[in-house]
Amino acid sequence: MNRPMDDTSALARQVIGLLESYIHKLGYSPAVHFELEGCYRFPPCRANQELDFALLNRQLGSLGIDAELVPEYWSHQWEYVSVFNGQTPLKEADNLAFALEKLPYLFAQQGVVQTLITPVVWCGDKGQLALGCSNIFSGEARAVHIPNAVQINISASNGSGENIIAKHGFGEYLQQCFLQTSLACCLLYLPEEDAFERLLLKSRYGLAKELCSPVDISGGHQGSIALYKEYGKHNQDMGVEPLLYDAANQVLLSRKNWQKTARIEHRLGASSKHYNPYLNVVFALVNLVDALEVYNHKGCQAGLKAPPAPVSLPGALNHDKDGFDAVSLFARQQWFSERINAVQLNMQTAKDMADLSVENSGKLGDKLKSSVLAKYQQKTFY
């Protein structure tokens, strides 16, 4: 997918290649997969028309995008779901970047007049859940502001192809890494003002029953940075594999292989045309590097701390008087750039930089951080 891209994305692609090579040097294969939600609108005269998802998925396949589109919970809401074809994290970022570019054209071919890749679709649906129900609606109707998310799933396998999330405390330690870094780096996955409005939908509009989007940074297997092993977000069994079907295609026999599907799911991202898949893959891989280095020294279980209390996210993208906004937090933190610089130095020292084209690139971590901040700071000061 050799398409024109902005300087930040091009630099981030370079960093992803560096991080992938370093992770392979450590003895592992990283896996990163995206899920992204959005909405669509037909013209009023065709408001009840439905999308032909089968056609859309054939078109994605013909474009070389490892993903499929499925209907989501709310009316006229869709979800982009990564298909597991063994793609590298770089290819996964390419997939989503290409999809963000092409989806409006594919939807328009079916008569859609608006493809909405935004954190919130205001008045996107109508409905009110019946008392005590999580999926049955009452006869009353009210405007529902639909939150749209981007999620990243992260795992790693060893040289034997085994998923190590469930081994020796690695999953818990990787989750801890994300819990520690996600506040200061929230600019990467909350890249516009409406992303912060999305965090307030439950409290500000009384939609707590209807919406399940997270509002803070929390762990466990149901939090916004979830560790999925035996059980998923809704306490469902993970990794259930059908083994035998009856004549009506109903499952007669299955087995539970949760070790295969175990992963960290980072559920804090806001769907946005400004969401940069390359930057977020970098964020995922740098956390993975932190955890793998500890895992290789058998230190994950010893390094675990007591689970932290949920942490509130900022209420603004920029210009908070106390400096508690996404841009200021990212500007102050050093972890993101320093860890990339350290990996670059390690690879240069070991002369493992062949085919990476970064020997004379300066400190890539510093350059990438500066590039991320530049567009926000230009708007602020110029």
Side-chain angles (χ1 to χ4, degrees):
M1 297 183 186
N2 297 316
R3 304 181 312 280
M5 61 180 62
D6 60 67
D7 291 343
T8 301
S9 296
L11 187 58
R13 285 186 97 257
Q14 202 174 14
V15 173
I16 292 170
L18 173 71
L19 295 169
E20 285 182 351
S21 294
Y22 181 65
I23 291 168
H24 290 145
K25 179 183 174 183
L26 292 176
Y28 304 95
S29 296
V32 176
H33 298 281
F34 284 107
E35 300 171 34
L36 174 139
E37 296 168 344
C39 295
Y40 62 93
R41 286 185 178 138
F42 282 108
C45 62
R46 300 165 60 186
N48 294 322
Q49 181 175 337
E50 295 183 356
L51 285 172
D52 184 342
F53 283 97
L55 173 59
L56 287 165
N57 290 329
R58 289 196 297 272
Q59 291 172 319
L60 290 180
S62 69
L63 291 169
I65 297 173
D66 305 284
E68 63 180 12
L69 293 171
V70 297
E72 246 296 342
Y73 184 74
W74 298 100
S75 295
H76 302 113
Q77 189 183 28
W78 51 267
E79 184 174 22
Y80 167 105
V81 181
S82 173
V83 172
F84 304 112
N85 285 334
Q87 63 268 29
T88 65
L90 181 56
K91 177 60 162 61
E92 181 69 3
D94 280 336
N95 285 338
L96 183 54
F98 198 21
L100 289 170
E101 175 189 329
K102 291 297 183 182
L103 284 178
Y105 298 99
L106 300 182
F107 280 96
Q109 289 173 9
Q110 296 195 30
V112 169
V113 292
Q114 274 188 299
T115 299
L116 300 159
I117 304 173
T118 60
V120 182
V121 176
W122 301 102
C123 299
D125 203 349
K126 292 186 179 294
Q128 187 163 0
L129 289 175
L131 184 65
C133 296
S134 61
N135 57 4
I136 299 175
F137 286 83
S138 70
E140 300 179 44
R142 61 170 171 169
V144 175
H145 308 313
I146 300 174
N148 290 308
V150 184
Q151 300 173 179
I152 298 188
N153 297 296
I154 306 102
S155 61
S157 56
N158 60 23
S160 301
E162 297 174 297
N163 184 355
I164 65 169
I165 289 289
K167 291 180 173 290
H168 311 299
F170 178 74
E172 287 80 0
Y173 192 87
L174 180 58
Q175 181 183 49
Q176 180 174 283
C177 289
F178 278 104
L179 289 170
Q180 291 171 339
T181 61
S182 288
L183 176 60
C185 291
C186 66
L187 179 62
L188 302 180
Y189 55 84
L190 301 173
E192 62 168 292
E193 289 287 359
D194 265 5
F196 300 89
E197 290 293 323
R198 170 179 169 268
L199 300 174
L200 300 173
L201 289 181
K202 290 182 182 179
S203 58
R204 184 171 288 177
Y205 299 98
L207 295 170
K209 288 197 304 178
E210 287 83 358
L211 305 181
C212 63
S213 54
V215 296
D216 54 27
I217 298 173
S218 56
H221 72 282
Q222 294 177 307
S224 57
I225 299 173
L227 170 58
Y228 292 162
K229 294 202 302 186
E230 295 98 327
Y231 304 103
K233 180 172 64 176
H234 302 293
N235 276 327
Q236 79 276 23
D237 288 340
M238 295 295 292
V240 177
E241 299 176 341
L243 297 176
L244 182 65
Y245 296 88
D246 64 14
N249 208 35
Q250 299 296 309
V251 177
L252 295 176
L253 181 66
S254 62
R255 67 179 176 185
K256 186 176 176 182
N257 184 13
W258 58 265
Q259 292 89 345
K260 181 179 177 180
T261 60
R263 63 190 184 273
I264 297 295
E265 185 173 273
H266 192 276
R267 304 195 302 113
L268 286 164
S271 184
S272 171
K273 289 177 288 187
H274 304 287
Y275 183 90
N276 188 313
Y278 300 104
L279 287 175
N280 282 276
V281 168
V282 171
F283 174 64
L285 293 182
V286 178
N287 275 285
L288 187 59
V289 163
D290 277 354
L292 286 172
E293 288 179 344
V294 173
Y295 181 76
N296 269 0
H297 290 89
K298 305 186 187 312
C300 287
Q301 290 175 327
L304 291 175
K305 303 172 184 176
V311 175
S312 296
L313 285 156
L317 177 69
N318 209 345
H319 305 307
D320 179 74
K321 63 182 178 63
D322 297 318
F324 191 65
D325 59 75
V327 173
S328 298
L329 287 168
F330 189 74
R332 288 198 299 268
Q333 63 79 36
Q334 299 298 321
W335 167 82
F336 183 77
S337 55
E338 288 181 355
R339 290 301 287 122
I340 295 169
N341 292 341
V343 170
Q344 182 183 8
L345 179 61
N346 180 289
M347 296 291 278
Q348 286 174 329
T349 302
K351 302 187 183 302
D352 289 327
M353 304 295 281
D355 301 323
L356 292 178
S357 303
V358 296
E359 294 94 334
N360 300 311
S361 298
K363 291 185 176 181
L364 288 176
D366 293 351
K367 292 176 68 173
L368 186 57
K369 178 181 176 180
S370 295
S371 184
V372 171
L373 289 169
K375 68 174 182 177
Y376 298 100
Q377 294 172 335
Q378 284 169 0
K379 290 179 181 179
T380 302
F381 298 118
Y382 295 91

